[in-house]
Amino acid sequence: MKKLAVLLIAFMAFSCGKENHNLTVKGHVKGLKKGTVYLERAQDSILVIADSLALTGNSDFELHANIDEPEAFYLRLDRNNTNEKQDKIVFFADKGMTEINTTLKNFVFDATITGSKQQTLYNEYLTVLNRFGDRNLDLIKENLEAKQMGDSAKIASSERALTSLLKSKYLYTVNFAVTNNDSEISPYLALTEIYDAQTKWLDTINNALTPRIKNSMYGKTLQNFLEERKASEE
């Protein structure tokens, strides 16, 4: 009887959480016949499941969570095939509705995401970042071909170009973060995209944050990250 009571309490707690959610993530995975979608979030440096849904013969999904402020989430697809990689879509959510539509074939790359104003900014950033990625792949290919041919001049040239491209990517990220200093996207990009950049660049972002963002989850995390880094550099 005591065990049954514990189970009932646990079920009621879960049900209340579902009913009181303030974030809904819904969408469609074209071509998906069977699989499980997971809504995940970072907690203490690991990903935890906020909600999940097993799909059988239905490509539509709806997941829920509770959030206190805008936050990055992950939509993971498990195709129920142990030999296949479980893909993750990263997106920025706020209270309300986020919609994600994609395909089974290209789960990550075909994703279209609408919802929060933070996601709109994130989309803008990723559009430019993808161009850096494409150029980086081209330069890597050039570098490999030069090494195969033993062309030292082309090897040196492609390596200089790769270094310059990385610096340009970092500077673009710093400028984007400073320009959007009143968005949670700003410290998030510093922590995820250029965490290994020079301390002075991260400081530039941190010092530009508005008081509201400095007091946000990502703002506080960036401040702590910088303090730990500076202490290790002394």
Side-chain angles (χ1 to χ4, degrees):
M1 191 70 180
K2 183 177 179 182
K3 185 176 180 181
L4 178 60
V6 171
L7 289 174
L8 285 172
I9 292 171
F11 175 77
M12 289 173 64
F14 177 76
S15 300
C16 290
K18 295 285 280 188
E19 290 174 0
N20 296 329
H21 62 259
N22 56 18
L23 168 64
T24 298
V25 180
K26 71 173 187 177
H28 179 84
V29 183
K30 183 180 179 181
L32 179 63
K33 299 300 181 183
K34 186 176 181 180
T36 304
V37 287
Y38 295 89
L39 181 63
E40 299 180 332
R41 70 203 310 176
Q43 192 173 89
D44 297 327
S45 301
I46 62 171
L47 291 181
V48 298
I49 298 171
D51 199 4
S52 64
L53 180 66
L55 300 175
T56 304
N58 182 12
S59 302
D60 297 323
F61 64 87
E62 184 170 312
L63 303 165
H64 305 98
N66 284 296
I67 59 176
D68 297 320
E69 59 183 288
E71 181 182 343
F73 279 82
Y74 303 80
L75 182 69
R76 174 166 63 92
L77 172 63
D78 182 353
R79 308 179 195 210
N80 296 335
N81 185 335
T82 56
N83 295 320
E84 291 187 2
K85 184 181 75 171
Q86 296 181 19
D87 299 317
K88 283 187 177 72
I89 296 170
V90 186
F91 64 99
F92 231 94
D94 199 355
K95 296 173 183 178
M97 177 77 70
T98 289
E99 185 170 348
I100 302 176
N101 294 306
T102 187
T103 67
L104 178 63
K105 185 177 181 180
N106 297 301
F107 183 71
V108 175
F109 296 108
D110 286 347
T112 58
I113 308 167
T114 56
S116 71
K117 60 182 180 181
Q118 290 82 8
Q119 180 61 39
T120 300
L121 272 178
Y122 194 40
N123 287 340
E124 182 184 331
Y125 172 80
L126 291 178
T127 297
V128 177
L129 196 69
N130 287 337
R131 296 175 196 158
F132 281 107
D134 291 342
R135 179 57 180 155
N136 188 66
L137 289 175
D138 290 340
L139 288 172
I140 290 173
K141 181 181 178 182
E142 288 178 20
N143 184 259
L144 289 174
E145 291 174 348
K147 287 179 178 177
Q148 289 172 352
M149 296 187 310
D151 191 330
S152 57
K154 284 188 176 180
I155 292 172
S157 175
S158 60
E159 288 178 349
R160 285 195 300 270
L162 280 166
T163 300
S164 177
L165 183 68
L166 181 61
K167 183 177 180 180
S168 296
K169 172 198 167 184
Y170 279 22
L171 288 175
Y172 167 72
T173 302
V174 171
N175 182 64
F176 189 91
V178 170
T179 301
N180 297 286
N181 62 341
D182 194 38
S183 173
E184 290 79 5
I185 281 290
S186 183
Y188 175 78
L189 293 180
L191 291 163
T192 58
E193 295 292 340
I194 59 170
Y195 61 89
D196 56 350
Q198 297 179 46
T199 302
K200 65 178 183 180
W201 290 355
L202 297 177
D203 254 334
T204 298
I205 296 174
N206 190 48
N207 293 334
L209 299 179
T210 63
R212 182 181 72 85
I213 299 302
K214 272 188 176 293
N215 198 44
S216 69
M217 174 176 63
Y218 294 120
K220 291 176 180 177
T221 303
L222 177 58
Q223 179 65 40
N224 291 336
F225 177 75
L226 277 168
E227 288 174 359
E228 291 176 4
R229 174 185 277 196
K230 289 175 181 177
S232 68
E233 292 174 350
E234 291 179 355

